[in-house]
Amino acid sequence: MSRECVAAPSSRLGDLLSKAYNPNKPHITDTPITKSNWYKHVNWLNVSLIIGMPLSGCIMAFWVPLRWQTALFAVLYYFATGLGITAGHHRLWAHKSYNAGTPLKVFFAFVAGGAVEGSIRWWSRDHRAHHRYTDTDKDPYSVRKGLLYSHIGWMVMKQNPKRIGRVDITDLNDDKVVVWQHRHYLKVVIFAGLIFPTLFAGLWGDMLGGYVYAGILRIFFVQQATFCVNSLAHWLGDQPFDDRNSPRDHVLTALVTLGEGYHNFHHEFPSDYRNAIEWWQYDPTKWFIWTMKKLGLAYDLKQFRSNEIEKGRVQQLQKKLDQKRATLDWGVPLDQLPVIEWDDFVDQCENGRCLVAVAGVVHDVTDFINDHPGGKAMIRSGLGKDATAMFNGGVYNHSNAAHNLLSTMRVGVIRGGMEVEIWKRAQRENKDVQYVKD
Amino acid sequence: MSRECVAAPSSRLGDLLSKAYNPNKPHITDTPITKSNWYKHVNWLNVSLIIGMPLSGCIMAFWVPLRWQTALFAVLYYFATGLGITAGHHRLWAHKSYNAGTPLKVFFAFVAGGAVEGSIRWWSRDHRAHHRYTDTDKDPYSVRKGLLYSHIGWMVMKQNPKRIGRVDITDLNDDKVVVWQHRHYLKVVIFAGLIFPTLFAGLWGDMLGGYVYAGILRIFFVQQATFCVNSLAHWLGDQPFDDRNSPRDHVLTALVTLGEGYHNFHHEFPSDYRNAIEWWQYDPTKWFIWTMKKLGLAYDLKQFRSNEIEKGRVQQLQKKLDQKRATLDWGVPLDQLPVIEWDDFVDQCENGRCLVAVAGVVHDVTDFINDHPGGKAMIRSGLGKDATAMFNGGVYNHSNAAHNLLSTMRVGVIRGGMEVEIWKRAQRENKDVQYVKD
Ligand code: HEM
Ligand code: HEM
Ligand SMILES: [Fe+2]
Ligand SMILES: [Fe+2]
Ligand SMILES: [Fe+2]
Ligand SMILES: [Fe+2]
């Protein structure tokens, strides 16, 4: 890999949400947390953005009445800023699952700023590392470190930038909108996150309500919802495509995250612009991207062929089935059975053992005679004989279940398999034919 | 099979619902239905019992008011007579899935008579033939002849008794309750079906209501409900154990038939006293039998081990999966690919073909270079080379989906597989080593 392809977590553009990083000084995460230094481990900027601000919003809400126009606008702006993250940060920039013209990019850069979850550049870099190193120590929000860690812990506590896996972000450094947003991130956040909703609600004379509800509390809800992609989506639901890692599919996560809840699919097919592939699944981010395409604002929507998707599903089902199969008793494998001479088999039956030979295998049916659904007489008529034909349609064409049951009764294999009867007849008819006993 | 084990469909005890059968005279079913003889093809006795009687009940219902005591009693008697068929005829006598003492047998013989669906002996013989010859011409109510036929057609139209498969009913002929009920069947039907409910409703002075609602109309509902086992249960639902024949599992059928709706299971494990194996599935017949056991009235409840049941399920899932797998494109099988010399492979790449060798197989990635989620540069770096290590973790540990995708791009195999590189190095180092070109 050539050097310029790779961005270290902290790059020349600097990181807004973490202090400039000097690789020569030991990082705070290298020292254990103690009573006296714990506050140095906390990322106080993030704490104030993720916990402090919403708290202040909750308190203000006691005094600021909620007007219906403001409520409606807050919900709409919630969706817009949420889509900034899911359709913008995530599916456009982190995964390049489609392409967008500058107007849509600028829109995303603005509304995604209003969601207050870090710049496109910072977010996408971490997210690419998350995909590339899922569940490992290089995964910035590995769920293996606990559900709470993957939800907000990784932001609340300072992280050693060296730990996060390295990924290629040359494409992002070449994207003017990304670079511009990263450079002016604080201004974008304050304007799109707080000033814009405040001013907008002023249209119906409710600037304070706009600030509290469409600003602060809306930020809180968008943040918590999208954080669920890192926590809930790696913890709750099914794994139809791959169960080696943590990502899971669940409709509840999808409902909370604007459609990002089909996360097992997404980790397996990250460059697909869809997260939900069925029309009846909830994926408004997909619907939005699709609409943008119809409007000419997005293009090159990438999609894995359904053949590839179904192959993944078949392989995972096969794996599950093999695991299930291994827990069941399929009878002693043929190669672990003792070899019995045909005459010994007949002798043992004459001495009272209840043995039946079917397809070259000797079965002990002692415990089954009374339970035989076809009656005692029927099964008795096969004792000490080659019952292959009787069992397979000669008398009754036994079900698959009967064949399975039979295999659990195996006690030996006849030397020479079921050809033994033919050998014997041949012997009787032509005394010259010999077979070797070893 | 010894002769006395087998009962011909019409036996010495005679058949109540079909005229005494003379095997020497041609049967009516041997002549085609015409305008002039169609009425001879109809089984008028059955028509009057299954269609005529209920119709008369519906008409009477216009004049006879329904009192709540009678309604309650009709419902309870509906369940009792229904259980006579499901727990008695079906699971006790036809399948011997458990054993019952004389008191319970007498109770069943009585209430099952009140359901008016033929004697235990006649019903069980047909039902055993239905299981043994499911979906064939020997199946008395094969759904292959149409849903309506399997529901009532087989009773409405006369049947050639020779057609129905022969089965062993020696056990039924040895059962005193069965023989007694068969001999006195008409009396039992009239008493249990009509007289008893009429008299019972007399307790609250509503004999007429008892006759119409708890008698005639209740008979109609019980008949239609249990007929669904032959029609609906072979037509609607899933096939988790075996899809070669028609039986199916569906909760709707179970709700209608007192739990007989898990019919795919039942045909695979007919001697299991349960039809539903999960506690949350609706199988009141099973619950009734279980309660009878607790009361000491039933014993020897037979149950397939869950190991046997799960094996059937695994095999059916495997079959489905194999069918699905066969519809997908897994790439050209290796043995159908042309063999390419390593030097030819390198030459072709130098002449502009976009080929990558991974694990001894040559892949044409021309159409994929621009779509590669890892970027154009990455995949280009593997062109004309052995990219096995790069692809499998050297640069990036590709997902299962990436491996699948790769296999669809196969165009050839390298002679000597991936050992070719090692051969070449050996050659360079030691000019004596030779490999054969054919
Ligand atoms: C050797 C081990 C045997 C096993 C494990 C076995 C198992 C079974 C099972 C599970 C059934 C129920 C229907 C089904 O699932 O197919 C059945 C039915 C039957 N079996 Fe067997 N069977 C054995 C041997 C035999 C033999 C040797 C005969 C005949 C010579 C025989 C004759 C029948 C008949 C006639 C039925 C049908 C009963 C009916 O539905 O009328 N079975 N057997
Ligand atoms: C030869 C055919 C190739 C195919 C079909 C292929 C396919 C893919 C696919 C589907 C992905 C998305 C992630 C995943 O599903 O694992 C991916 C990612 C990647 N591929 Fe390839 N690849 C090929 C060759 C290569 C080669 C030769 C290299 C390197 C020399 C390479 C390097 C990468 C890297 C680094 C990523 C990670 C992108 C990221 O998430 O940052 N690929 N590839
Ligand atoms: Fe994830
Ligand atoms: Fe992602
Ligand atoms: Fe059936
Ligand atoms: Fe049955």
Side-chain angles (χ1 to χ4, degrees), chain A residues 1 132 268 307-308 311 314-315 318 321 324-325 328-330 378 395-396 400-401 404-405 408, chain B residues 1 132 268 307-308 311 314-315 318 321 324-325 328-330 378 395-396 400-401 404-405 408:
Chain A
M1 239 179 322
R132 200 157 169 180
E268 196 64 11
N307 183 62
E308 299 309 307
K311 284 199 293 194
V314 161
Q315 287 161 328
Q318 186 64 62
L321 211 53
K324 175 87 202 177
R325 185 182 287 109
L328 298 172
D329 168 18
W330 298 86
M378 285 286 174
V395 177
Y396 181 66
N400 186 37
N404 282 337
L405 199 59
T408 63
Chain B
M1 240 179 323
R132 201 158 169 178
E268 197 63 11
N307 183 60
E308 299 309 306
K311 283 198 294 193
V314 161
Q315 287 161 328
Q318 186 64 63
L321 212 54
K324 175 89 202 174
R325 184 181 286 111
L328 298 171
D329 168 18
W330 298 87
M378 285 284 173
V395 177
Y396 182 66
N400 187 36
N404 282 336
L405 198 60
T408 64

Side-chain angles (χ1 to χ4, degrees), chain B residues 12 15 19 51 63 81-82 116 152 201 204 248 285 289 370:
Chain B
R12 67 197 141 84
D15 240 355
K19 281 228 193 84
I51 302 172
W63 286 278
T81 49
V116 197
I152 52 170
W204 51 91
R248 285 161 188 276
T285 301
I289 295 169
N370 286 324

Side-chain angles (χ1 to χ4, degrees), chain A residues 42 88 112 161 168 264 353 357 360 369 389 399 406 419 421:
Chain A
V42 173
D168 180 354
N264 193 260
R353 264 191 94 184
I369 290 184
S399 69
L406 186 68
E419 290 164 300
E421 297 274 71

Side-chain angles (χ1 to χ4, degrees), chain B residues 79-255:
Chain B
F79 275 97
T81 49
L83 284 171
I85 299 295
T86 60
H89 280 197
H90 188 214
R91 303 197 196 179
L92 175 63
W93 280 299
H95 291 303
K96 298 189 283 185
S97 70
Y98 67 102
N99 241 311
T102 310
L104 187 57
K105 280 189 180 175
V106 169
F107 170 75
F108 281 146
F110 177 85
V111 288
V116 197
E117 301 190 12
S119 73
I120 299 163
R121 195 173 166 283
W122 174 87
W123 197 103
S124 299
R125 193 202 59 221
D126 267 15
H127 191 74
R128 286 183 186 178
H130 166 68
H131 271 266
R132 201 158 169 178
Y133 303 103
T134 311
D135 293 345
T136 70
D137 200 49
K138 292 182 175 181
D139 178 351
Y141 21 83
S142 167
V143 77
R144 296 268 188 264
K145 297 185 179 170
L147 193 63
L148 195 65
Y149 177 85
S150 67
H151 194 73
I152 52 170
W154 67 280
M155 291 174 285
V156 164
M157 303 305 289
K158 277 189 189 143
Q159 303 298 325
N160 188 340
K162 270 193 285 190
R163 182 178 65 76
I164 312 299
R166 292 165 79 90
V167 293
D168 181 354
I169 56 163
T170 40
D171 56 316
L172 300 178
N173 290 337
D174 290 345
D175 187 320
K176 291 214 179 69
V177 177
V178 173
V179 173
W180 173 85
Q181 199 236 31
H182 191 72
R183 201 164 273 158
H184 303 284
Y185 189 59
L186 199 61
K187 283 170 243 168
V188 173
V189 163
I190 293 174
F191 185 74
L194 299 172
I195 297 180
F196 171 75
T198 307
L199 293 179
F200 199 90
L203 290 180
W204 51 91
D206 186 25
M207 297 224 324
L208 189 59
Y211 177 74
V212 173
Y213 294 103
I216 292 176
L217 288 179
R218 191 259 325 144
I219 291 175
F220 172 60
F221 283 109
V222 170
Q223 282 179 344
Q224 293 300 320
T226 43
F227 294 167
C228 282
V229 181
N230 297 333
S231 54
L232 215 56
H234 283 260
W235 185 74
L236 173 76
D238 301 328
Q239 306 193 295
F241 298 100
D242 195 345
D243 64 1
R244 290 172 300 181
N245 291 327
S246 60
R248 285 161 188 276
D249 282 5
H250 204 289
V251 61
L252 274 186
T253 319
L255 288 173

